[in-house]
Amino acid sequence: MTDAPGARDSADMRLRRGARPATTHPHPATAGRAVVLSGATVVLPTGAVENGRLVVNGTRITATAPENARFIDVTGHYVVPGFVDLHNHGGGGASFTSGPVDDILKGIHTHRLHGTTTLVASTVTVDLDSLTRRAGLLSELAEQGEIAGIHFEGPFISPCRKGAHSAKLLRDPDPAEVRRLIDAARGRAKMLTLATELPGGLDSVRLLADHGVIAAIGHTDATYEQTVQAIDAGATVATHLFNAMPPLGHRSPGPITALLEDDRITVELINDGTHLHPAALRLAFHHAGADRVAFITDAMDAAGFGDGRYWLGPLEVEVADGVARLVADGTIAGSTLTLDRAFKRAVTVDGLCVEDAVTALSATPARLLGMDDTIGSLEPGKSADLVLLDSAFELKGVMRRGEWVVGPQLG
């Protein structure tokens, strides 16, 4: 699929404004030699262990270190699991909905530089033929292990709560068309966001559940009662809770109340300081708990790249001071968030404990994806995916499958 008209000009504009792709900090890989990170606060499922150590041997975390292991003193730092992003549209100037494979890989790498070791590539609303072609391409990257799967956001969403989606391309959720996307993804579809109150919505939820694909309620104008029906039909995720849905009211509690009160629902939160007030975030954690909260980026091309003009599907976006808005009407258009920033904000601004932040960034989304046997926590036998943070929660190292993507930067 080709970029939207003017996309190349927009890219040139970004470079003229001084934006540059994110850069890495090369560091030798483990090269077959085990590594022991010692002296850090290691955040485990059972809690944070001070002056702890973590052993990496090959691509896995192990319980013991061989005699020839290399020790790295990371005293004063935190070692946390690699971040898992369920909802991400791009980064580094690249969109997951358009552009060639090299651009997609650039976007994936940009987020790895910020600690996201597992990523689900999200699409935006485009015509159905283009979406099925994109599903085929993304499924190949999933088969290669570059992404964890595909999330379709749109076109089956409410025109009343469309956000940064093209109104003329929206459609009611037809189960036959939903099945077409599932088939195009060749078993790599992980999630589909839809407005379940629309005609065909509940049948589509049931179809998704039957095929092992997460049905996510989002961009919805549903009532409380309609949302309860969708949950009973098999929906299990709230797409970016609070955003693109009716607000909570004391006589019309709407979808937010239904989604928070039901233990079957995991709620996505965009913790960038723009999409949510800290009190709204704390409300979600109070009612759902960290085990039902997944921090996401909802990132678009500008994440890790800079301010300028971009395209989100067929819609032009202006990013200024890190906030993305549609040029046409000023609607917020995704985010420029990276998960390392979401982590730091959760702890330093929102007042969450480190353990809860780790759960929302790693354990909960890994469980939701059915991947918690290999990722999401620092336990022997699991993939050596980890993030090194200093005492101020600034990123100082990223390891993915036993290879350093960033760092470690200890000087």
Side-chain angles (χ1 to χ4, degrees), residues 211-233:
H211 285 80
V213 180
I214 297 165
I217 301 171
H219 288 276
T220 176
D221 204 40
T223 63
Y224 172 88
E225 292 77 14
Q226 288 172 325
T227 306
V228 169
Q229 286 183 313
I231 297 170
D232 288 339

Side-chain angles (χ1 to χ4, degrees), residues 128 156 171-183 192 194 198-208 210-211:
L128 207 60
F156 309 116
R171 54 211 297 145
D172 289 341
D174 180 342
E177 293 181 340
V178 171
R179 176 62 187 269
R180 181 181 170 190
L181 291 181
I182 294 172
D183 291 344
L192 187 146
L194 69 166
L198 296 176
L202 294 181
D203 286 339
S204 294
V205 168
R206 296 185 187 101
L207 174 71
L208 290 165
D210 287 344
H211 285 80

Side-chain angles (χ1 to χ4, degrees), residues 86-87 120 122-123 128 131 150-157 173-175 177-182 189-196 201 204-205 207-209 212-218 235-239 268:
L86 295 170
H87 186 155
V120 175
S122 302
T123 60
L128 207 60
L131 202 54
I150 307 166
H151 163 218
F152 299 104
E153 186 180 27
F156 309 116
I157 61 176
D174 180 342
E177 293 181 340
V178 171
R179 176 62 187 269
R180 181 181 170 190
L181 291 181
I182 294 172
K190 288 292 186 179
M191 183 162 67
L192 187 146
T193 292
L194 69 166
T196 55
S204 294
V205 168
L207 174 71
L208 290 165
V213 180
I214 297 165
I217 301 171
T236 56
V237 166
T239 294
E268 295 181 346

Side-chain angles (χ1 to χ4, degrees), residues 3 91-96 98-110:
D3 290 333
S95 166
F96 297 147
S98 61
V101 170
D102 285 350
D103 282 0
I104 297 171
L105 292 173
K106 177 182 176 183
I108 294 166
H109 185 64
T110 295

